[in-house]
Amino acid sequence: LEKTKGMDVNIRVVEDDAAHIGLYYPESSFDVVAFHHAINDIIQTIIANREGIDTENQDWWSIEPQMLQAVMEYHRKGTLKDAAYQAFIQIIDTSCKQLKSGGYMIFDNITYAGYDEMGYSSEFHNDYIQLARSWISEANLGLEEIEVDSYDKQWWMIWRKV
């Protein structure tokens, strides 16, 4: 809170799926929608739902290895896009609708040591931004990617609503 002291920042925590944000806010409500280390969580949740893994009533950390292995199985079979694309793009589209014209959607990704030990590929995880970039580009949601020289495109992605 010290970093935002003196700023007019209103914070409201909504404990619900991001796909339901329209239930809480009207369209064009936000200047920025941020997805901090969230692409993997979104895709893991989509795959977990397909696989019958309950992500709402279980401790996330205890089921994470199971979710990671499920995502990797779809990736290895070449079926991840078929399984997750529509639901992922629906969340991005819903978030885009919440942006004001000219607003920004910002994504970042980080990685952790130890993924490979769980049967999950660090190399795959490191490419989540590239995967999301290609899916969002393909979906034609009225967003244009903005490049910032000081931000590494492997770890950051910024879209502006046009």
Side-chain angles (χ1 to χ4, degrees):
L1 292 176
E2 196 61 33
K3 290 181 180 182
T4 59
K5 186 178 180 180
M7 294 176 66
D8 184 21
V9 177
N10 295 316
I11 298 174
R12 176 180 172 200
V13 176
V14 176
E15 294 186 26
D16 197 349
D17 191 303
H20 303 148
I21 193 70
L23 299 173
Y24 304 93
Y25 292 95
E27 291 186 6
S28 302
S29 291
F30 300 102
D31 295 307
V32 175
V33 173
F35 290 88
H36 172 60
H37 185 56
I39 297 168
N40 63 305
D41 294 335
I42 293 168
I43 291 176
Q44 286 170 215
T45 301
I46 292 166
I47 296 301
N49 289 338
R50 289 180 64 95
E51 293 294 309
I53 301 168
D54 180 3
T55 61
E56 293 180 19
N57 300 305
Q58 294 188 64
D59 176 60
W60 181 271
W61 300 114
S62 66
I63 61 170
E64 185 181 33
Q66 185 182 2
M67 292 189 297
L68 295 176
Q69 290 166 4
V71 169
M72 283 312 303
E73 187 63 27
Y74 280 80
H75 174 65
R76 283 188 202 101
K77 290 180 180 176
T79 58
L80 183 61
K81 184 175 182 182
D82 292 338
Y85 177 86
Q86 288 299 335
F88 178 81
I89 292 301
Q90 179 183 348
I91 290 170
I92 302 306
D93 186 44
T94 298
S95 298
C96 182
K97 289 175 182 166
Q98 299 305 313
L99 281 176
K100 295 175 184 174
S101 181
Y104 294 92
M105 198 174 294
I106 303 171
F107 299 80
D108 74 324
N109 190 28
I110 55 176
T111 191
Y112 299 105
Y115 277 145
D116 293 305
E117 296 169 9
M118 290 189 276
Y120 187 66
S121 167
S122 292
E123 182 180 341
F124 169 76
H125 184 87
N126 293 349
D127 284 337
Y128 263 121
I129 291 284
Q130 310 328 314
L131 177 126
R133 178 177 283 119
S134 69
W135 289 5
I136 293 168
S137 293
E138 182 181 317
N140 295 314
L141 301 175
L143 296 166
E144 67 177 356
E145 188 169 6
I146 305 298
E147 293 185 26
V148 178
D149 290 337
S150 60
Y151 285 63
D152 186 330
K153 286 182 67 169
Q154 178 176 353
W155 304 106
W156 290 89
M157 181 171 58
I158 302 170
W159 295 85
R160 187 175 72 81
K161 184 176 182 177
V162 292

